[in-house]
Amino acid sequence: MTHAAPRSDLGTHEVFNQPDTLLRDPWADDVALKSILGADPGLAALGAALGTREMREAARDAQTCLPQLRAFDRHGRRLDEVHFHPGYHQLMTLGLEAGYAATAWDGTGSHLRHAAINYMLSQVEPGVCCPMTMTYAGFPALSADPVLAAVWQPRLTARAYDPSRRSVDQKQAVTLGMAMTEKQGGSDVRANSTRAVRDGEGYRLHGHKWFCSAPMCDGFLTLAQTEAGITCFLVPRWLPDGTRNAFNILRLKDKLGNKANASSEIEYDGTYAQRLGEEGRGVQTIIEMVHHTRLDTAMAPAGLMRAALAEAVHWARGRTTFQRKLIDQPMMRAVLADLVLESESALLLALDVARAFDDPDKRPYARLSVALAKFLSNKRAPGMIYECMECLGGMGYVEDTPLPMLYREAPLNSIWEGSGNVICLDILRTLNREPEAAAQLNARLDAARGLDPRFDAALATHRDRWPGLPPEGEARWFAESLATLLSGAVMLADSPIAGEFIDARMGSARGSVMGATGVYDTAQVLARV
């Protein structure tokens, strides 16, 4: 359908020197992504759909027409429902039908392909990724109980979206969420106070959860105390007899970003649940879900950065100032080139992690590298996206562009599934307890030796500084250094602009802000976007 162009001649003035609104296909225009994934008709179709005006409008509506809690009906009976704009449901349908939750598990794809779907959707509407990520990540955790797995796993991977309020046995497709943290403990889930009491073949839960995202999922993995200690449970939202489980939504969180996705505070008040895994081993059971959600928290910032970069480059190529295109101004070229290096390195690092998820022999490396990628990319994303915003000047600061949304979204994936300090402690714990993880990581780094003397020097400096594990107070410095080295190794293996990345991140003297580099030929770097 042809879309009528807006009027530029407004009577009082003519609108010119304003680039057209960017509508881009996040698959077709990403040479780095396609170089790793290769030809993929399904991903190409998803990218084309995400590039349409219809889906961009659906995303905008989902972000601005916010979820609404309807706790009670008109008669005072509990509903505990969240209502979403139809645009949200459009995007959920698109993502799940494309295989977001299924492709890693149903034999048609891989974790790498799943990560690519997350990357593309994060560029358009990151809020809907939350329930789809949890649905993807919950699949392996359910294997702890063959009976529950037989009921839930086929429906988690059904490549369909069914938001109806019906029990799992009456649905072709379901979504799965997670509710772990409580007010008194946060990341310290062993401090949880929610109690589980045996009731026939199931349990009844009594307590609360301080953060429960996507509360309209069909089920939730949650943690509660039994006499044996912290135990994992599956809580269905809708029961086979047609009634609603006691899943009391107290309020929706008023969050900085991630607006399209509802996050809530809930109470369990005699809530029916089924045990998943052994009593007293709840953390060990649910950690499979956490491990796989971390892959998406490492991938998503790359998507946010790529979307912001595309806006900045599009503006610079279409805007003239001081008699030259912005893209031809030396300082702007230096800034944009630095932004390209940031974006591409985050993408390739996360895809390298995803490939490790596909190789059972590399599970130790996957556990360590996903934490490193999550830490580094999410720490870099807010500053990078701000610099993209600044490339547009005042236009980048208004909600007519996606940049404010991307900027508000940028801190989320660093906080979700372990904030910076928690991730650094996990890196140290993994290196201490899993020698094979350290061995596989060192093998990855050593494989890059000899390809660039600047990388070799940076690796030697790191190892001289930390011949063993660092003291806890240096954990952030250690993690940043190690993650940057891993990014360099991945770039040397997979990117034609690896030399520019190595020079900018571990080679020549430079400043601390984007574009504060020595003069070099930026043409090859800018050709990547």
Side-chain angles (χ1 to χ4, degrees), residues 131-180:
M132 290 190 280
T133 285
M134 292 190 293
T135 301
Y136 149 78
F139 183 94
L142 284 165
S143 297
D145 188 308
V147 174
L148 290 176
V151 173
W152 286 82
Q153 285 182 333
R155 293 170 171 86
L156 296 177
T157 56
R159 289 179 178 257
Y161 174 55
D162 180 357
S164 64
R165 289 92 163 124
R166 293 182 294 163
S167 62
V168 60
D169 59 297
Q170 299 178 41
K171 299 181 74 169
Q172 174 196 357
V174 297
T175 53
L176 188 69
M178 176 168 50
M180 291 198 296

Side-chain angles (χ1 to χ4, degrees), residues 68-73 78-83 249 252:
Q68 296 182 350
L69 172 61
R70 298 181 183 177
F72 299 92
D73 72 3
R78 290 209 70 106
L79 289 174
D80 297 300
E81 293 181 0
V82 179
H83 283 239
I249 304 176
L252 301 184

Side-chain angles (χ1 to χ4, degrees), residues 192 194-196 205 209 222-226 229-233:
N192 284 6
T194 296
R195 304 292 306 178
L205 305 186
K209 296 297 170 184
T222 194
L223 296 175
Q225 299 280 1
T226 68
I230 284 285
T231 302
C232 185
F233 293 90

Side-chain angles (χ1 to χ4, degrees), residues 72-385:
F72 299 92
D73 72 3
R74 68 175 67 184
H75 307 290
R77 304 180 185 95
R78 290 209 70 106
L79 289 174
D80 297 300
E81 293 181 0
V82 179
H83 283 239
F84 298 89
H85 188 277
Y88 173 91
H89 296 297
Q90 276 183 270
L91 288 155
M92 287 289 292
T93 300
L94 179 66
L96 290 170
E97 289 183 353
Y100 192 115
T103 192
W105 311 114
D106 65 2
T108 66
S110 60
H111 293 285
L112 178 65
R113 192 172 186 275
H114 159 81
I117 296 173
N118 170 272
Y119 171 71
M120 289 195 288
L121 266 167
S122 293
Q123 296 177 49
V124 177
E125 209 311 283
V128 299
C129 292
C130 176
M132 290 190 280
T133 285
M134 292 190 293
T135 301
Y136 149 78
F139 183 94
L142 284 165
S143 297
D145 188 308
V147 174
L148 290 176
V151 173
W152 286 82
Q153 285 182 333
R155 293 170 171 86
L156 296 177
T157 56
R159 289 179 178 257
Y161 174 55
D162 180 357
S164 64
R165 289 92 163 124
R166 293 182 294 163
S167 62
V168 60
D169 59 297
Q170 299 178 41
K171 299 181 74 169
Q172 174 196 357
V174 297
T175 53
L176 188 69
M178 176 168 50
M180 291 198 296
T181 58
E182 298 181 3
K183 294 172 184 173
Q184 71 281 356
S187 295
D188 183 9
V189 294
R190 295 186 187 279
N192 284 6
S193 61
T194 296
R195 304 292 306 178
V197 179
R198 171 75 76 172
D199 181 19
E201 295 183 358
Y203 289 78
R204 296 290 171 176
L205 305 186
H206 300 267
H208 81 283
K209 296 297 170 184
W210 201 23
F211 278 89
C212 175
S213 288
M216 291 305 288
C217 286
D218 295 285
F220 290 84
L221 297 194
T222 194
L223 296 175
Q225 299 280 1
T226 68
E227 292 184 2
I230 284 285
T231 302
C232 185
F233 293 90
L234 173 60
V235 176
R237 283 287 266 122
W238 329 105
L239 300 177
D241 63 2
T243 61
R244 297 166 186 252
N245 206 358
F247 191 94
N248 299 341
I249 304 176
L250 302 183
R251 63 172 176 167
L252 301 184
K253 300 283 193 181
D254 187 5
K255 299 174 294 185
L256 170 68
N258 202 243
K259 295 288 191 176
N261 174 45
S263 298
S264 64
E265 298 175 21
I266 65 169
E267 284 183 344
Y268 298 137
D269 185 12
T271 306
Y272 176 74
Q274 296 165 287
R275 196 184 79 218
L276 181 66
E278 298 177 35
E279 281 198 51
R281 293 186 57 81
V283 173
Q284 292 83 350
T285 301
I286 208 168
I287 201 68
E288 273 299 307
M289 188 172 187
V290 173
H291 178 57
H292 287 83
T293 55
R294 278 189 180 174
L295 174 59
D296 287 12
T297 63
M299 187 79 257
L304 303 178
M305 287 191 271
R306 184 65 177 84
L309 173 65
E311 294 288 336
V313 172
H314 176 71
W315 182 266
R317 285 177 173 153
R319 180 87 163 166
T320 298
T321 182
F322 305 117
Q323 292 77 53
R324 283 193 291 182
K325 291 286 188 183
L326 271 176
I327 194 73
D328 297 325
Q329 304 279 2
M331 270 196 293
M332 180 60 77
R333 290 182 71 83
V335 170
L336 291 173
D338 226 6
L339 295 171
V340 172
L341 295 175
E342 199 68 51
S343 173
E344 184 154 326
S345 62
L347 168 63
L348 294 181
L349 177 58
L351 293 179
D352 182 73
V353 173
R355 285 185 294 202
F357 272 64
D358 285 314
D359 185 347
D361 292 336
K362 290 186 177 179
R363 183 175 174 86
Y365 173 78
R367 172 165 166 72
L368 181 56
S369 63
V370 74
L372 290 167
K374 176 181 175 347
F375 179 75
L376 181 65
S377 295
N378 284 298
K379 293 303 179 190
R380 303 287 291 181
M384 184 274 187
I385 293 169

